[in-house]
Amino acid sequence: MVKEGMKEVVALQSKISRIDGEKGELEYRGYSIHDLAENSTFEETVFLLWNGRLPTQKELEEFKEDLIDRRRIPPEVIGQLSTLPDITHPMVVLRTAISYCGSLDEKLHKIDPGENLEKSKEILSMIPTIIAFTYRMREGKRLVHPREDLDHTANFLWMLKGEEPDPLEVEALDTDLILHAEHTLNASTYSSRIAASTKSDMYAGIVSATGTLMGPIHGGASQWVIEMLREVKEEMEKNGVSPEDWIKEKLRAGEIIPGFGHRVYKTMDPRAKQLKDLAKKLDEKRGNDWCSLSRRIEDAVREEKDIDPNVDFYAGTVYVNLDIPDEFFIPIFAMGRIAGWTTHMMEQYEENVLIRPLQEYVGEKYRKYVPIEERE
Ligand code: COA
């Protein structure tokens, strides 16, 4: 029986994360996303995902040191970043740079648990540097190199902005990365597992995942959300159109509202709840008012179509308050989700079965081949 879009198909078993779509629950390795968002750090969450357990203090310190040592990107990759046209979307830059990093890895094709973990650390640590360098090159600013005294997220904001990172901004982005780190068999993670199932290399799987994440109904929704918020704001200010009327008109025309709906959650995405609180805190600090606009949109979509917001809806409001340009929203998603992609690839390599579903053929059959000179 064909299940379009593999809706409700259980494709494999995994010990990494669990979603209860009816109850709106998400756990990484058995730990609630709320506990992790409120108490953990991105590095601790990555350790948990990769190792299946929380680290001791000593293990966490050693793990962080190990990641810090891997933040610099090869000079060849920096050179390549500068050759890409300015119109290249930062997600395309990211996947090109990751692929280039793979070409410089002498052990690219070596697949064993130790080597896979090494590559995972390399890629996870280099992604923030690639993103920050891309941003600064675009802005015509000097590159700000990684610092060894800062944690993963603080160092990223340092490299991005070239100034001492603000503690509330670090906390907000770190929580955002935890919330984006892992999410069962979403499309990009599945594509990384398909690559691993063919015994292709880690870089190939991550390039595949970054390409898949960029689509507007997956990770690309985060950029689409902020574009929508700006449009609604402009319509309200210039033409006096209320957000409620704007939403109703779009929905009645059969359009999709970015940041709403989910294949698995039948209630509010638990990550959206966390991000909504963060967005509110940042709005207050920055003197912005994105949240009240977002809330009006949330209520209008619920009233008109009874659909809840997903992770991307309030993520946009967090990023805009961190002065991150719209085109960099999806790369930030990738900066978090790299944790899940690498964990899934490692699980796939360990218990590998080639992922190769069947299809139902619905085209013509047994056609007679006619030589070209006899065709009309
Ligand atoms: N805006 C308007 N309608 C939506 C909607 C949205 N964001 N999300 C779902 N719907 C509607 C569909 O049109 C469909 O309505 P119908 O039954 O009247 O035809 C119904 O809800 C079921 O949606 P469907 O597209 O079949 O669900 P799905 O599981 O295939 O799609 C998404 C899930 C995520 C692709 C979809 O909700 C979507 O495109 N959301 C917007 C993009 C987004 O935010 N993506 C990030 C996800 S984390």
Side-chain angles (χ1 to χ4, degrees):
M1 190 180 37
V2 177
K3 291 257 190 178
E4 286 297 345
M6 293 180 78
K7 279 189 185 182
E8 287 161 24
V9 170
V10 179
L12 50 86
Q13 290 188 321
S14 174
K15 293 182 181 148
I16 304 170
S17 64
R18 180 184 74 82
I19 297 175
D20 185 324
E22 299 294 333
K23 294 186 188 155
E25 289 176 354
L26 170 61
E27 287 181 347
Y28 297 170
R29 301 280 192 190
Y31 293 95
S32 155
I33 193 63
H34 299 296
D35 286 342
L36 294 170
E38 284 156 28
N39 303 298
S40 188
T41 60
F42 182 63
E43 286 95 322
E44 188 184 50
T45 300
V46 175
F47 186 102
L48 169 68
L49 287 169
W50 285 350
N51 297 284
R53 63 175 177 85
L54 289 168
T56 61
Q57 187 66 47
K58 185 165 173 283
E59 283 173 329
L60 182 59
E61 290 314 316
E62 284 169 2
F63 182 61
K64 289 202 293 194
E65 289 293 315
D66 195 0
L67 295 181
I68 285 171
D69 287 344
R70 300 167 192 265
R71 285 176 180 165
R72 287 185 179 270
I73 55 175
E76 296 93 322
V77 176
I78 302 178
Q80 180 234 21
L81 289 180
S82 62
T83 64
L84 293 169
D86 275 355
I87 50 155
T88 315
H89 191 284
M91 261 322 263
V92 178
V93 177
L94 181 62
R95 71 170 188 239
T96 309
I98 293 170
S99 191
Y100 199 159
C101 288
S103 76
L104 300 171
D105 186 337
E106 286 170 7
K107 295 181 184 167
L108 177 70
H109 301 295
K110 200 159 180 273
I111 296 166
D112 62 52
E115 197 50 51
N116 296 339
L117 188 60
E118 282 297 299
K119 293 188 194 328
S120 299
K121 289 178 188 169
E122 292 282 324
I123 302 171
L124 181 128
S125 302
M126 284 192 295
I127 283 181
T129 317
I130 297 168
I131 299 172
F133 281 15
T134 305
Y135 167 72
R136 292 193 70 89
M137 281 179 187
R138 290 278 159 93
E139 296 288 302
K141 293 180 173 160
R142 70 172 176 86
L143 300 185
V144 177
H145 291 278
R147 261 170 58 184
E148 294 189 354
D149 60 326
L150 294 174
D151 285 349
H152 191 80
T153 306
N155 174 64
F156 170 67
L157 287 172
W158 157 253
M159 292 190 296
L160 192 78
K161 298 185 178 188
E163 56 192 45
E164 213 51 47
D166 174 274
L168 177 62
E169 292 189 3
V170 174
E171 189 197 322
L173 187 58
D174 203 62
T175 307
D176 173 87
L177 295 182
I178 293 170
L179 294 168
H180 280 90
E182 160 59 10
H183 211 230
T184 73
L185 270 198
N186 58 87
S188 56
T189 300
Y190 195 43
S191 74
S192 76
R193 282 193 83 128
I194 293 172
S197 86
T198 70
K199 300 201 178 180
S200 191
D201 61 274
M202 292 287 297
Y203 293 87
I206 302 308
V207 170
S208 174
T210 44
T212 308
L213 183 73
M214 196 179 166
I217 62 169
H218 187 13
S222 57
Q223 182 179 331
W224 187 12
V225 166
I226 193 64
E227 287 164 1
M228 172 184 73
L229 290 183
R230 291 189 199 288
E231 191 182 330
V232 175
K233 199 163 181 272
E234 196 179 316
E235 277 295 300
M236 198 163 66
E237 288 166 0
K238 280 198 183 150
N239 303 322
V241 178
S242 77
E244 290 78 10
D245 286 345
W246 192 91
I247 288 292
K248 268 182 206 156
E249 198 187 313
K250 294 283 170 191
L251 286 175
R252 285 175 192 176
E255 289 191 29
I256 292 292
I257 308 297
F260 287 85
H262 201 274
R263 175 62 64 81
V264 189
Y265 293 115
K266 304 299 169 218
T267 180
M268 181 134 167
D269 182 334
R271 303 165 302 169
K273 280 187 196 149
Q274 289 282 344
L275 285 167
K276 189 175 176 175
D277 292 346
L278 274 180
K280 214 168 130 199
K281 265 199 217 169
L282 288 168
D283 249 7
E284 277 163 19
K285 181 179 158 80
R286 300 296 305 267
N288 287 334
D289 202 12
W290 290 102
C291 280
S292 52
L293 177 61
S294 304
R295 266 198 307 273
R296 286 177 72 176
I297 292 177
E298 182 184 337
D299 291 344
V301 175
R302 239 193 227 110
E303 195 185 310
E304 190 66 20
K305 220 165 168 187
D306 197 21
I307 304 176
D308 289 298
N310 59 47
V311 69
D312 291 312
F313 189 60
Y314 284 99
T317 315
V318 169
Y319 304 147
V320 79
N321 272 310
L322 298 178
D323 295 323
I324 292 170
D326 302 0
E327 281 204 322
F328 285 79
F329 288 13
I330 320 172
I332 305 279
F333 190 150
M335 211 174 116
R337 186 56 56 82
I338 183 66
W341 293 334
T342 46
T343 315
H344 275 272
M345 286 191 74
M346 288 190 276
E347 190 179 66
Q348 183 68 38
Y349 286 131
E350 270 180 38
E351 298 156 14
N352 194 43
V353 178
L354 176 72
I355 299 174
R356 203 299 186 197
L358 297 177
Q359 58 154 36
E360 181 188 358
Y361 178 68
V362 292
E364 290 183 59
K365 288 186 202 164
Y366 306 122
R367 299 171 80 187
K368 188 175 181 307
Y369 182 84
V370 180
I372 196 160
E373 56 281 6
E374 292 173 25
R375 286 178 218 156
E376 296 188 347

